[in-house]
Amino acid sequence: MDDKPEYIDRVTENAGLHNEAWQRTLDDMESIAETRREDGWEAATFQTIQTAPVSRADNDNPDRFGISTVLPDNHAEEFREIYEHNDLDQYQVYSTEVEGFMYLVIEVLDFDSKTTLLLALRYDLTIGRGMFKSVYDEDTIFTYVRTIDGTEIAVFEHEEYRPLLPEQARPPEGARPSENTGE
């Protein structure tokens, strides 16, 4: 791939910034979880190990697009149990962009049981253009959580997707999706 050396240069050149941004993301996730616990919530935190933006064109299923992230196998069962036994139907997104990467904490909540899952993840914006177009076309985004072997353990839909995208890729507030093709 012709751009591979450029990609490697970009990532290694900013390794310190990325390490700091990732550590801040993990610290933020733990801080949010601790605040929830102090308020009487059950809060579980999960650090993902790989994340990629996925567009409809990237796979055989045109309904599948968004953020695909991988949990380490040793945390998958705990995540799955909380996901399956709670109605995690609300979410908060905490995000920042650093040198071509989007760093996120996605918090999904069940207000009835006072349970929350927090996921720390990051994705490379240089490969996100197709996902942005899919998001604009459909006016929603999904987060897919899977194990290392590809087993899907959770899917979350985020109708308010702007916090999951970098500022320059967000459509203007109030714009209709058909007005924003990402191209």
Side-chain angles (χ1 to χ4, degrees):
M1 192 170 185
D2 292 341
D3 61 345
K4 187 172 184 182
E6 187 177 308
Y7 169 80
I8 291 171
D9 287 345
R10 181 175 62 88
V11 172
T12 56
E13 179 179 299
N14 296 307
L17 287 173
H18 290 295
N19 288 340
E20 289 173 22
W22 184 240
Q23 188 58 55
R24 275 193 316 270
T25 301
L26 297 175
D27 292 346
D28 289 348
M29 177 179 66
E30 291 301 332
S31 177
I32 294 163
E34 188 56 37
T35 298
R36 294 283 186 209
R37 290 180 189 117
E38 289 170 2
D39 290 339
W41 286 65
E42 178 184 332
T45 60
F46 298 91
Q47 176 180 335
T48 64
I49 56 175
Q50 180 183 8
T51 303
V54 177
S55 74
R56 292 185 312 219
D58 291 335
N59 59 76
D60 295 334
N61 183 345
D63 294 329
R64 188 174 182 82
F65 61 92
I67 299 169
S68 178
T69 195
V70 178
L71 277 179
D73 287 346
N74 59 330
H75 295 284
E77 192 55 41
E78 177 189 5
F79 182 96
R80 181 183 289 121
E81 187 172 314
I82 295 168
Y83 176 76
E84 290 176 354
H85 292 97
N86 293 279
D87 186 17
L88 301 163
D89 61 352
Q90 301 292 316
Y91 61 93
Q92 298 282 337
V93 178
Y94 312 89
S95 63
T96 190
E97 181 184 346
V98 176
E99 295 297 326
F101 282 81
M102 195 71 177
Y103 291 83
L104 302 162
V105 173
I106 300 175
E107 179 184 25
V108 288
L109 308 103
D110 178 344
F111 280 91
D112 292 335
S113 69
K114 294 183 85 170
T115 301
T116 185
L117 290 175
L118 295 106
L119 287 168
L121 53 100
R122 74 176 184 170
Y123 69 88
D124 187 340
L125 297 173
T126 62
I127 58 175
R129 181 180 218 107
M131 179 188 75
F132 304 150
K133 181 176 182 343
S134 297
V135 169
Y136 302 152
D137 288 349
E138 300 301 324
D139 200 29
T140 194
I141 190 171
F142 296 90
T143 299
Y144 303 94
V145 182
R146 56 190 175 89
T147 58
I148 292 170
D149 70 2
T151 303
E152 192 167 273
I153 56 176
V155 178
F156 301 103
E157 182 175 7
H158 313 284
E159 291 178 358
E160 175 48 52
Y161 52 82
R162 283 173 178 79
L164 295 150
L165 306 178
E167 188 69 39
Q168 71 274 14
R170 296 177 190 168
E173 274 300 322
R176 295 167 34 100
S178 60
E179 297 169 357
N180 298 288
T181 63
E183 297 294 336

